[in-house]
Amino acid sequence: MYELNYDLWQEVIEDIASEYAPLFSIMHEAARELLISRPLIDDLLRTRELEISTEPWQMWLQIDPIDDNIGGFRIYLMASEDLDAIKELMMETAEDRGISQEEINAFEVEHGLDMLGDVFEVIRDRYEILPEIGGDNVTFSLVAFDSQDIDDSKGNDIFWSDDAYTN
């Protein structure tokens, strides 16, 4: 059994976050290939969400209007994971390194740490994915499109024409 220290803690955190790398890679690729068009935006504005994949992970688009007085919005590519599955992965990863749940709890209390929070921080920083807990799930969000990125002059004319915009 290892004595838990900060370096070992970081290794466990990195291992847990990297288990989701395939999902995040798929999300980034899907966002790059996403064809943003006026009909898609209109559909999202009407429905707020649009499922785009169920295999190997359920993914959907979600639109979030921006309160900017000009109709701005962000389109997010979303995926979710059961919170219990992430917690199970955390326990298994720690156990693979000889760390018990009791050691984790004591280390968190002693050092003011939170393993899940640290995993989320690595995911945000390394993969540019925002993880959020909602009920029994963790939702992973990637900004696929932000209307504020469109050039105010020429870009708006091109974007709002019938032509499509791709990332």
Side-chain angles (χ1 to χ4, degrees):
M1 183 182 294
Y2 300 98
E3 183 172 324
L4 186 54
N5 59 46
Y6 191 72
D7 289 335
L8 187 53
W9 175 268
Q10 282 303 119
E11 288 177 23
V12 171
I13 299 299
E14 296 286 330
D15 287 350
I16 296 164
S18 68
E19 286 292 320
Y20 288 95
L23 169 61
F24 303 148
S25 178
I26 289 169
M27 290 176 73
H28 279 281
E29 182 65 26
R32 278 190 297 277
E33 293 178 359
L34 185 62
L35 187 62
I36 304 292
S37 65
R38 186 64 199 201
L40 174 66
I41 293 165
D42 290 341
D43 193 28
L44 279 169
L45 286 170
R46 189 178 64 258
T47 63
R48 297 289 186 220
E49 289 185 3
L50 179 65
E51 188 173 291
I52 61 170
S53 171
T54 57
E55 294 296 327
W57 285 282
Q58 180 184 12
M59 291 192 293
W60 66 95
L61 296 175
Q62 181 174 315
I63 195 164
D64 183 19
I66 300 171
D67 189 18
D68 61 0
N69 298 320
I70 59 170
F73 58 90
R74 285 186 191 95
I75 297 175
Y76 295 92
L77 180 61
M78 317 279 281
S80 69
E81 173 73 293
D82 186 69
L83 181 58
D84 287 339
I86 293 175
K87 288 180 178 180
E88 180 68 28
L89 175 62
M90 289 170 45
M91 287 189 322
E92 289 173 2
T93 304
E95 287 172 0
D96 288 347
R97 295 198 176 254
I99 304 166
S100 69
Q101 186 62 48
E102 293 77 25
E103 288 175 290
I104 290 171
N105 294 342
F107 196 77
E108 287 178 325
V109 168
E110 181 179 344
H111 297 283
L113 297 172
D114 171 32
M115 183 174 278
L116 186 59
D118 288 351
V119 169
F120 284 2
E121 185 177 325
V122 169
I123 290 170
R124 277 190 301 273
D125 293 347
R126 180 179 302 150
Y127 301 103
E128 298 177 349
I129 301 284
L130 177 64
E132 292 183 28
I133 297 175
D136 294 334
N137 292 311
V138 174
T139 301
F140 300 110
S141 304
L142 170 65
V143 176
F145 181 81
D146 187 336
S147 67
Q148 293 177 329
D149 292 339
I150 300 172
D151 179 61
D152 288 340
S153 59
K154 200 173 190 181
N156 277 338
D157 293 338
I158 292 170
F159 177 74
W160 292 113
S161 70
D162 288 335
D163 297 333
Y165 175 84
T166 58
N167 294 341

